[in-house]
Amino acid sequence: MVDHIGRLLHLMSDCGGMGLTLAHYPHSRAVLEAHARHVGALSPTIERYFTIAVLTQHLTTEHPEAAGCTATQQEALRETYLEVLDREEWTETHALGSLRMTTGCGGSPTTGRHS
């Protein structure tokens, strides 16, 4: 469920003109907070790392209203996601995924699975 929510949040963070954005979703802050709280309890995967990185970038580069929250809430969400991304096992997963993509030995860039 957490992975599915992460994919939806990722799409909503960058779907202007194509669907409901985080800015227009009335529950975006609560869903982002729940996702940030729960994704860190899961083991790292390339897809999870990518999703969190995209959401963190959105929370860093966009105005707070674009995520449906205040500046204080935006900073807290960003810090929660960064704390997960900075964990040793998450950075190792990212490094391994990047190596696989650059050497052609991996699978899909977002899932690491072979087709």
Side-chain angles (χ1 to χ4, degrees), residues 22 32 52 54-64 67 69 73-79 81:
L22 290 174
L32 280 163
I52 295 173
V54 168
L55 292 173
T56 302
Q57 179 182 15
H58 181 79
L59 292 166
T60 301
T61 61
E62 300 296 328
H63 293 288
C69 56
Q73 293 164 336
Q74 180 187 39
E75 180 63 20
L77 285 165
R78 191 178 78 81
E79 290 301 318
Y81 281 130

mmCIF file of all heavy atoms in Angstrom, residues 22 32 52 54-64 67 69 73-79 81:
data_model
loop_
_atom_site.group_PDB
_atom_site.id
_atom_site.type_symbol
_atom_site.label_atom_id
_atom_site.label_comp_id
_atom_site.label_asym_id
_atom_site.label_seq_id
_atom_site.Cartn_x
_atom_site.Cartn_y
_atom_site.Cartn_z
ATOM 1 N N LEU A 22 -1.141 17.736 -6.117
ATOM 2 C CA LEU A 22 -1.085 17.818 -4.659
ATOM 3 C C LEU A 22 -1.705 19.129 -4.167
ATOM 4 O O LEU A 22 -2.374 19.160 -3.139
ATOM 5 C CB LEU A 22 0.359 17.713 -4.169
ATOM 6 C CG LEU A 22 1.025 16.356 -4.305
ATOM 7 C CD1 LEU A 22 2.503 16.457 -3.914
ATOM 8 C CD2 LEU A 22 0.317 15.305 -3.467
ATOM 9 N N LEU A 32 0.838 12.812 2.555
ATOM 10 C CA LEU A 32 2.300 12.934 2.528
ATOM 11 C C LEU A 32 2.900 12.600 3.889
ATOM 12 O O LEU A 32 3.910 11.892 3.976
ATOM 13 C CB LEU A 32 2.723 14.342 2.106
ATOM 14 C CG LEU A 32 2.699 14.645 0.621
ATOM 15 C CD1 LEU A 32 2.726 16.147 0.383
ATOM 16 C CD2 LEU A 32 3.852 13.960 -0.088
ATOM 17 N N ILE A 52 10.873 8.693 -3.168
ATOM 18 C CA ILE A 52 11.158 9.623 -2.072
ATOM 19 C C ILE A 52 12.007 10.792 -2.573
ATOM 20 O O ILE A 52 11.789 11.941 -2.185
ATOM 21 C CB ILE A 52 11.860 8.901 -0.907
ATOM 22 C CG1 ILE A 52 10.932 7.862 -0.286
ATOM 23 C CG2 ILE A 52 12.302 9.901 0.153
ATOM 24 C CD1 ILE A 52 11.622 6.988 0.752
ATOM 25 N N VAL A 54 12.062 12.110 -5.590
ATOM 26 C CA VAL A 54 11.215 13.007 -6.377
ATOM 27 C C VAL A 54 10.328 13.849 -5.456
ATOM 28 O O VAL A 54 10.180 15.052 -5.652
ATOM 29 C CB VAL A 54 10.364 12.206 -7.396
ATOM 30 C CG1 VAL A 54 9.281 13.071 -8.010
ATOM 31 C CG2 VAL A 54 11.253 11.618 -8.476
ATOM 32 N N LEU A 55 9.736 13.203 -4.448
ATOM 33 C CA LEU A 55 8.893 13.950 -3.512
ATOM 34 C C LEU A 55 9.719 14.978 -2.736
ATOM 35 O O LEU A 55 9.265 16.103 -2.510
ATOM 36 C CB LEU A 55 8.171 12.994 -2.561
ATOM 37 C CG LEU A 55 7.107 12.115 -3.220
ATOM 38 C CD1 LEU A 55 6.578 11.081 -2.237
ATOM 39 C CD2 LEU A 55 5.974 12.956 -3.790
ATOM 40 N N THR A 56 10.929 14.604 -2.344
ATOM 41 C CA THR A 56 11.802 15.532 -1.622
ATOM 42 C C THR A 56 12.167 16.717 -2.508
ATOM 43 O O THR A 56 12.171 17.870 -2.053
ATOM 44 C CB THR A 56 13.073 14.811 -1.135
ATOM 45 O OG1 THR A 56 12.677 13.716 -0.309
ATOM 46 C CG2 THR A 56 13.983 15.740 -0.347
ATOM 47 N N GLN A 57 12.451 16.445 -3.769
ATOM 48 C CA GLN A 57 12.756 17.537 -4.702
ATOM 49 C C GLN A 57 11.563 18.484 -4.819
ATOM 50 O O GLN A 57 11.725 19.702 -4.796
ATOM 51 C CB GLN A 57 13.137 16.994 -6.071
ATOM 52 C CG GLN A 57 13.443 18.101 -7.062
ATOM 53 C CD GLN A 57 13.788 17.588 -8.438
ATOM 54 O OE1 GLN A 57 13.547 16.433 -8.766
ATOM 55 N NE2 GLN A 57 14.344 18.442 -9.258
ATOM 56 N N HIS A 58 10.366 17.914 -4.936
ATOM 57 C CA HIS A 58 9.153 18.736 -5.020
ATOM 58 C C HIS A 58 9.005 19.606 -3.765
ATOM 59 O O HIS A 58 8.711 20.802 -3.866
ATOM 60 C CB HIS A 58 7.930 17.832 -5.198
ATOM 61 C CG HIS A 58 6.648 18.575 -5.318
ATOM 62 N ND1 HIS A 58 6.256 19.184 -6.478
ATOM 63 C CD2 HIS A 58 5.663 18.808 -4.421
ATOM 64 C CE1 HIS A 58 5.082 19.771 -6.296
ATOM 65 N NE2 HIS A 58 4.702 19.548 -5.044
ATOM 66 N N LEU A 59 9.230 19.003 -2.612
ATOM 67 C CA LEU A 59 9.107 19.739 -1.354
ATOM 68 C C LEU A 59 10.205 20.780 -1.183
ATOM 69 O O LEU A 59 10.055 21.726 -0.417
ATOM 70 C CB LEU A 59 9.125 18.762 -0.173
ATOM 71 C CG LEU A 59 7.898 17.860 -0.067
ATOM 72 C CD1 LEU A 59 8.164 16.706 0.903
ATOM 73 C CD2 LEU A 59 6.663 18.649 0.347
ATOM 74 N N THR A 60 11.309 20.629 -1.902
ATOM 75 C CA THR A 60 12.435 21.561 -1.817
ATOM 76 C C THR A 60 12.301 22.715 -2.808
ATOM 77 O O THR A 60 12.638 23.849 -2.491
ATOM 78 C CB THR A 60 13.761 20.816 -2.080
ATOM 79 O OG1 THR A 60 13.890 19.772 -1.104
ATOM 80 C CG2 THR A 60 14.963 21.740 -2.006
ATOM 81 N N THR A 61 11.791 22.431 -3.997
ATOM 82 C CA THR A 61 11.804 23.431 -5.069
ATOM 83 C C THR A 61 10.489 24.165 -5.276
ATOM 84 O O THR A 61 10.474 25.212 -5.913
ATOM 85 C CB THR A 61 12.213 22.779 -6.403
ATOM 86 O OG1 THR A 61 11.261 21.762 -6.737
ATOM 87 C CG2 THR A 61 13.610 22.195 -6.322
ATOM 88 N N GLU A 62 9.403 23.621 -4.762
ATOM 89 C CA GLU A 62 8.091 24.236 -4.984
ATOM 90 C C GLU A 62 7.634 24.994 -3.738
ATOM 91 O O GLU A 62 8.099 24.735 -2.632
ATOM 92 C CB GLU A 62 7.056 23.171 -5.334
ATOM 93 C CG GLU A 62 7.385 22.387 -6.598
ATOM 94 C CD GLU A 62 7.389 23.227 -7.857
ATOM 95 O OE1 GLU A 62 6.601 24.195 -7.933
ATOM 96 O OE2 GLU A 62 8.176 22.927 -8.770
ATOM 97 N N HIS A 63 6.705 25.901 -3.940
ATOM 98 C CA HIS A 63 6.104 26.617 -2.816
ATOM 99 C C HIS A 63 5.317 25.631 -1.959
ATOM 100 O O HIS A 63 4.817 24.620 -2.465
ATOM 101 C CB HIS A 63 5.178 27.723 -3.327
ATOM 102 C CG HIS A 63 5.909 28.821 -4.029
ATOM 103 N ND1 HIS A 63 6.697 29.723 -3.369
ATOM 104 C CD2 HIS A 63 5.965 29.154 -5.341
ATOM 105 C CE1 HIS A 63 7.217 30.569 -4.231
ATOM 106 N NE2 HIS A 63 6.793 30.245 -5.442
ATOM 107 N N PRO A 64 5.181 25.895 -0.669
ATOM 108 C CA PRO A 64 4.449 24.978 0.220
ATOM 109 C C PRO A 64 3.028 24.670 -0.270
ATOM 110 O O PRO A 64 2.554 23.544 -0.145
ATOM 111 C CB PRO A 64 4.417 25.715 1.559
ATOM 112 C CG PRO A 64 5.559 26.654 1.514
ATOM 113 C CD PRO A 64 5.724 27.037 0.067
ATOM 114 N N ALA A 67 2.234 21.598 -2.316
ATOM 115 C CA ALA A 67 2.080 20.312 -1.633
ATOM 116 C C ALA A 67 0.886 20.339 -0.680
ATOM 117 O O ALA A 67 0.663 19.384 0.058
ATOM 118 C CB ALA A 67 3.346 19.958 -0.869
ATOM 119 N N CYS A 69 0.403 22.406 1.940
ATOM 120 C CA CYS A 69 0.790 22.547 3.343
ATOM 121 C C CYS A 69 1.413 23.916 3.600
ATOM 122 O O CYS A 69 1.616 24.700 2.681
ATOM 123 C CB CYS A 69 1.752 21.428 3.734
ATOM 124 S SG CYS A 69 3.232 21.290 2.733
ATOM 125 N N GLN A 73 5.165 22.830 7.730
ATOM 126 C CA GLN A 73 4.814 21.439 7.422
ATOM 127 C C GLN A 73 5.661 20.917 6.272
ATOM 128 O O GLN A 73 6.120 19.763 6.296
ATOM 129 C CB GLN A 73 3.323 21.343 7.071
ATOM 130 C CG GLN A 73 2.409 21.624 8.230
ATOM 131 C CD GLN A 73 0.982 21.897 7.800
ATOM 132 O OE1 GLN A 73 0.710 22.303 6.668
ATOM 133 N NE2 GLN A 73 0.055 21.660 8.722
ATOM 134 N N GLN A 74 5.894 21.751 5.275
ATOM 135 C CA GLN A 74 6.718 21.352 4.133
ATOM 136 C C GLN A 74 8.134 21.000 4.585
ATOM 137 O O GLN A 74 8.692 19.986 4.176
ATOM 138 C CB GLN A 74 6.755 22.481 3.098
ATOM 139 C CG GLN A 74 7.589 22.158 1.872
ATOM 140 C CD GLN A 74 7.732 23.355 0.952
ATOM 141 O OE1 GLN A 74 7.889 24.489 1.419
ATOM 142 N NE2 GLN A 74 7.664 23.107 -0.336
ATOM 143 N N GLU A 75 8.700 21.825 5.444
ATOM 144 C CA GLU A 75 10.058 21.569 5.948
ATOM 145 C C GLU A 75 10.113 20.277 6.751
ATOM 146 O O GLU A 75 11.053 19.494 6.622
ATOM 147 C CB GLU A 75 10.542 22.750 6.793
ATOM 148 C CG GLU A 75 11.927 22.584 7.345
ATOM 149 C CD GLU A 75 13.009 22.483 6.288
ATOM 150 O OE1 GLU A 75 12.801 22.899 5.138
ATOM 151 O OE2 GLU A 75 14.088 21.952 6.612
ATOM 152 N N ALA A 76 9.098 20.030 7.573
ATOM 153 C CA ALA A 76 9.065 18.797 8.370
ATOM 154 C C ALA A 76 8.968 17.567 7.462
ATOM 155 O O ALA A 76 9.650 16.559 7.694
ATOM 156 C CB ALA A 76 7.892 18.827 9.348
ATOM 157 N N LEU A 77 8.167 17.643 6.429
ATOM 158 C CA LEU A 77 8.051 16.519 5.481
ATOM 159 C C LEU A 77 9.382 16.289 4.767
ATOM 160 O O LEU A 77 9.845 15.159 4.640
ATOM 161 C CB LEU A 77 6.952 16.803 4.448
ATOM 162 C CG LEU A 77 5.524 16.665 4.928
ATOM 163 C CD1 LEU A 77 4.558 17.314 3.934
ATOM 164 C CD2 LEU A 77 5.185 15.190 5.112
ATOM 165 N N ARG A 78 9.972 17.379 4.306
ATOM 166 C CA ARG A 78 11.258 17.276 3.607
ATOM 167 C C ARG A 78 12.308 16.646 4.498
ATOM 168 O O ARG A 78 13.045 15.746 4.081
ATOM 169 C CB ARG A 78 11.702 18.667 3.148
ATOM 170 C CG ARG A 78 12.869 18.664 2.192
ATOM 171 C CD ARG A 78 13.203 20.077 1.759
ATOM 172 N NE ARG A 78 13.951 20.768 2.789
ATOM 173 C CZ ARG A 78 15.269 20.628 2.992
ATOM 174 N NH1 ARG A 78 15.956 19.815 2.220
ATOM 175 N NH2 ARG A 78 15.879 21.273 3.941
ATOM 176 N N GLU A 79 12.373 17.062 5.737
ATOM 177 C CA GLU A 79 13.350 16.514 6.679
ATOM 178 C C GLU A 79 13.089 15.032 6.958
ATOM 179 O O GLU A 79 14.038 14.254 7.087
ATOM 180 C CB GLU A 79 13.354 17.324 7.976
ATOM 181 C CG GLU A 79 13.940 18.712 7.822
ATOM 182 C CD GLU A 79 15.371 18.704 7.326
ATOM 183 O OE1 GLU A 79 16.177 17.863 7.785
ATOM 184 O OE2 GLU A 79 15.696 19.537 6.456
ATOM 185 N N TYR A 81 11.691 12.838 4.898
ATOM 186 C CA TYR A 81 12.139 12.087 3.714
ATOM 187 C C TYR A 81 13.667 12.066 3.613
ATOM 188 O O TYR A 81 14.258 11.030 3.300
ATOM 189 C CB TYR A 81 11.539 12.679 2.435
ATOM 190 C CG TYR A 81 10.108 12.274 2.175
ATOM 191 C CD1 TYR A 81 9.149 13.225 1.877
ATOM 192 C CD2 TYR A 81 9.712 10.941 2.190
ATOM 193 C CE1 TYR A 81 7.832 12.867 1.610
ATOM 194 C CE2 TYR A 81 8.405 10.568 1.926
ATOM 195 C CZ TYR A 81 7.467 11.541 1.633
ATOM 196 O OH TYR A 81 6.168 11.176 1.361
#
